[in-house]
Amino acid sequence: MEAQADSRAVAQALNTGERFVENYYRSFSKTVGKFYQDDTKVLWNGNGFGGAQFKAQVLPQLQQALAGGFEVHGLDTQPLGDFTLATVTGLVRIGGKKNQFTQTFVVQRTGGLTYIVSDAFRLV
């Protein structure tokens, strides 16, 4: 019985992670801020921010700089109780050049919506 519960949790985490990642990167240049709450913890290339500060001061600049788009090459997910851990690898176009990146999210579904609890992005 426990194995069934574990496999359901893993499947749910994968489903949540896949939907979230698809929506996040598709909406990055326009409405990605909707995924961040004021208390979201953000670590962007080694610089730490609260969600409100990130949305107001940093995200608009990143949306311009990273407007070339993302290519997701890998996604791993794991259930963490009420949360989902999603680790993404891929390429992001900056100034015409493709750069490798990794991004790790902890997300939570609340009321049918998925919010970022923690976001750690790093160019590789």
Side-chain angles (χ1 to χ4, degrees), residues 44-103:
W44 198 273
N45 260 356
N47 300 296
F49 305 95
Q53 178 188 16
F54 182 74
K55 285 192 302 186
Q57 298 173 8
V58 180
L59 189 56
Q61 295 171 21
L62 290 174
Q63 287 173 308
Q64 282 187 334
L66 305 179
F70 291 86
E71 295 176 24
V72 173
H73 291 184
L75 169 65
D76 290 309
T77 61
Q78 180 177 341
L80 297 174
D82 293 337
F83 305 96
T84 297
L85 175 71
T87 302
V88 181
T89 58
L91 298 172
V92 59
R93 187 177 297 276
I94 303 172
K97 181 181 174 203
K98 290 184 178 184
N99 298 271
Q100 292 182 333
F101 78 94
T102 182
Q103 192 163 15

Side-chain angles (χ1 to χ4, degrees), residues 4-54:
Q4 273 186 326
D6 287 346
S7 66
R8 279 195 302 268
V10 168
Q12 180 60 39
L14 179 59
N15 185 292
T16 297
E18 285 176 338
R19 285 194 328 240
F20 167 75
V21 164
E22 180 182 332
N23 289 328
Y24 179 88
Y25 293 110
R26 185 178 59 224
S27 69
F28 190 86
S29 65
K30 294 188 177 24
T31 60
V32 75
K34 67 185 176 186
F35 295 109
Y36 293 91
Q37 301 297 295
D38 288 349
D39 61 348
T40 298
K41 306 296 183 234
V42 181
L43 187 61
W44 198 273
N45 260 356
N47 300 296
F49 305 95
Q53 178 188 16
F54 182 74

